[in-house]
Amino acid sequence: TIYGITPTYARLAQKADLTRLSQTLMLVKNFHWIVIEDSSTKTKLVENLLKESMLKYTHLNVKTHKLKHSTASGVEQRNVALNWLREHLMKIHDTKGVVYFMDDDNTYSLKVFDEMRKIKKVGVWPVGIVGGMRVEMPLVTDGKVSGFNAVWKPFRPFPIDMAGFAINATLFIDHPEAKFSRKVQSGYQESEILKYVVTKEELEPLAENCTKVYVWHTRTQTPSILNPKKLKHPPLPDGHIEV
Amino acid sequence: TIYGITPTYARLAQKADLTRLSQTLMLVKNFHWIVIEDSSTKTKLVENLLKESMLKYTHLNVKTHKLKHSTASGVEQRNVALNWLREHLMKIHDTKGVVYFMDDDNTYSLKVFDEMRKIKKVGVWPVGIVGGMRVEMPLVTDGKVSGFNAVWKPFRPFPIDMAGFAINATLFIDHPEAKFSRKVQSGYQESEILKYVVTKEELEPLAENCTKVYVWHTRTQTPSILNPKKLKHPPLPDGHIEV
Ligand SMILES: O=c1ccn([C@@H]2O[C@H](COP(=O)(O)OP(=O)(O)O)[C@@H](O)[C@H]2O)c(=O)[nH]1
Ligand SMILES: O=c1ccn([C@@H]2O[C@H](COP(=O)(O)OP(=O)(O)O)[C@@H](O)[C@H]2O)c(=O)[nH]1
Ligand SMILES: [Mn+2]
Ligand SMILES: [Mn+2]
């Protein structure tokens, strides 16, 4: 089973982004979607979307309480998901699986899911359009990760985006303390979680030795909506329509 | 058959956008994708993507020659597709089908394809986050389109986005002159094509009488890429990797 962990928050393009992501996931075999709303209550929008998706899913929620010095997104949400996952794996007596942290606005080719089924500990691969680069990627020598082609904070222990790796689920049972943290600097969440479960030497390069791009750090443009109150000819109210 | 007509042009997020759109289309039955590159030659990127998609498709290309007063996108591309379609329908002796103009960066719920199979002449439905509104939509009275909730150029004959309608394919045989035009003002392409094939009174409101949003005019943010030449520690060249 691939456990996809997706934090999500209310915004105008949320339903659009979740809709196209869910439609991709419908094509992935043995996939379990863990969706965590950044919200103090679960919303009808996400609840109905998950219900209608026909996917195997778990719907959680927890509101972010940002500290002044930590603006990272998804920290509390991913931790809640990891705790749910640990309990779930124990309960079903089956710790086989792979954990992938999937932002709701990225683009995932179906091929990335095929790659991650080969993972023993932690697999890595290139990520398109991220960190100021066309592609950020692990460098591979003799089938081993020998470095990283990254320009944004290349001195990080793992200069790699959240979309660029997946982790054998068993490792979260072996390392019950593994979690994301509000105490680390911007860009260090990936390094934070990876440090518990793997060393650089152990990383498994996938996607044809990290030469193929199967995932893109796309972002959906924030739409600019006119304020109906400021219009000469205001439209009929549309607040009753879910968008 | 639903004939989806998609103009596309080379840019950093092109492969990402086409990948997620193609993965949605893989779930649509009886779909034929007509992809027209805005380019003087067909690219390997689009060719391979279509080949690997397992979709039924037709790959065309034509380069836009923009006139000063017309900046609309996709005009020549959609016209080339319509001409291809006319020949195709004649050749297969089967003019049954629906034509939908699909931009490559929009978001399409599978539900919109179910709706368009009900079309007799021209079906219409709401479009999310477009034209400065949460949702632009036809207004329906007694099962008929009585007006439009639009704030951007509401005086257009059909104040409706390209994603908000689909047309019975037969009408393009009945109206061989129907096409898009470089001679109309910005925002009038939809009105231009619709004027050949339908009157406002004949529009068929779909998506539960135009109360549901099944398509969104999303846009993918243009990524900002650093110039490697200007970096103190330039990364290894990555031009050989397709993104
Ligand atoms: O306040 C927020 C902002 C973001 N996110 C989620 O956290 C992930 C990463 O956020 P985003 O895509 O905005 O980050 P970026 O594209 O800047 O890396 C996404 O799944 C978002 O839905 C969240 O839960 N709460
Ligand atoms: O120079 C261009 C710009 C756009 N397009 C295509 O035309 C459609 C509409 O363009 P875009 O999405 O940029 O328009 P907008 O989002 O502003 O309506 C899309 O399928 C694009 O890929 C094109 O073929 N050539
Ligand atoms: Mn994002
Ligand atoms: Mn667009």
Side-chain angles (χ1 to χ4, degrees), chain A residues 79-111:
Chain A
N79 283 342
V80 160
L82 288 177
N83 285 338
W84 177 88
L85 181 67
R86 287 187 178 99
E87 280 195 29
H88 172 76
L89 295 175
M90 309 285 247
K91 204 164 62 195
I92 63 169
H93 296 288
D94 178 7
T95 62
K96 277 200 296 292
V98 172
V99 175
Y100 189 34
F101 299 104
M102 307 178 65
D103 290 355
D104 61 359
D105 58 343
N106 287 342
T107 301
Y108 302 90
S109 161
L110 296 175
K111 293 180 187 172

Side-chain angles (χ1 to χ4, degrees), chain B residues 8-20:
Chain B
T8 188
Y9 71 109
R11 62 193 187 277
L12 215 38
Q14 181 185 33
K15 192 174 177 186
D17 282 336
L18 289 175
T19 296
R20 57 182 162 186

Side-chain angles (χ1 to χ4, degrees), chain A:
Chain A
T1 303
I2 295 171
Y3 295 95
I5 295 184
T6 301
T8 189
Y9 71 108
R11 60 192 187 277
L12 215 37
Q14 181 185 32
K15 193 174 178 187
D17 281 335
L18 289 174
T19 296
R20 59 182 159 186
L21 179 53
S22 72
Q23 290 173 175
T24 283
L25 299 179
M26 286 167 68
L27 294 162
V28 182
K29 295 233 163 29
N30 283 315
F31 185 86
H32 186 131
W33 202 14
I34 309 176
V35 176
I36 322 92
E37 291 194 70
D38 182 353
S39 159
S40 48
T41 52
K42 295 187 178 73
T43 64
K44 277 277 163 218
L45 187 152
V46 174
E47 188 179 315
N48 290 337
L49 187 141
L50 289 171
K51 242 184 237 164
E52 293 178 12
S53 74
M54 308 298 290
L55 293 168
K56 189 160 180 176
Y57 70 86
T58 298
H59 184 186
L60 304 170
N61 69 285
V62 56
K63 179 122 195 76
T64 298
H65 292 289
K66 272 184 190 160
L67 302 171
K68 251 182 232 136
H69 61 276
S70 170
T71 55
S73 298
V75 172
E76 292 80 0
Q77 289 74 29
R78 294 188 191 100
N79 283 342
V80 160
L82 288 177
N83 285 338
W84 177 88
L85 181 67
R86 287 187 178 99
E87 280 195 29
H88 172 76
L89 295 175
M90 309 285 247
K91 204 164 62 195
I92 63 169
H93 296 288
D94 178 7
T95 62
K96 277 200 296 292
V98 172
V99 175
Y100 189 34
F101 299 104
M102 307 178 65
D103 290 355
D104 61 359
D105 58 343
N106 287 342
T107 301
Y108 302 90
S109 161
L110 296 175
K111 293 180 187 172
V112 78
F113 302 100
D114 294 334
E115 291 300 310
M116 64 184 79
R117 297 192 200 272
K118 305 174 192 165
I119 287 174
K120 292 190 194 77
K121 291 193 84 173
V122 174
V124 292
W125 47 80
V127 178
I129 46 180
V130 69
M133 299 180 76
R134 291 175 72 244
V135 52
E136 227 183 52
M137 59 189 166
L139 298 168
V140 179
T141 314
D142 300 332
K144 292 265 173 195
V145 174
S146 52
F148 299 91
N149 217 20
V151 295
W152 187 63
K153 300 194 180 178
F155 42 80
R156 289 174 289 166
F158 296 92
I160 184 175
D161 185 77
M162 205 64 86
F165 63 90
I167 300 176
N168 188 325
T170 309
L171 294 178
F172 289 100
I173 301 293
D174 299 347
H175 301 279
E177 73 288 9
K179 63 172 193 302
F180 295 92
S181 164
R182 282 257 163 244
K183 295 197 180 122
V184 303
Q185 275 180 275
S186 148
Y188 279 72
Q189 293 299 337
E190 294 86 352
S191 297
E192 184 64 14
I193 196 74
L194 286 169
K195 80 171 186 197
Y196 290 104
V197 297
V198 78
T199 63
K200 196 187 114 183
E201 290 65 37
E202 294 172 318
L203 294 174
E204 300 150 38
L206 296 172
E208 298 188 19
N209 273 318
C210 297
T211 61
K212 298 286 176 190
V213 177
Y214 296 153
V215 55
W216 297 262
H217 187 258
T218 43
R219 300 171 106 175
T220 304
Q221 206 175 290
T222 306
S224 54
I225 302 300
L226 302 167
N227 184 343
K229 285 180 199 145
K230 293 193 178 155
L231 294 173
K232 242 197 236 167
H233 302 286
L236 293 181
D238 60 21
H240 56 295
I241 301 215
E242 185 181 278
V243 177

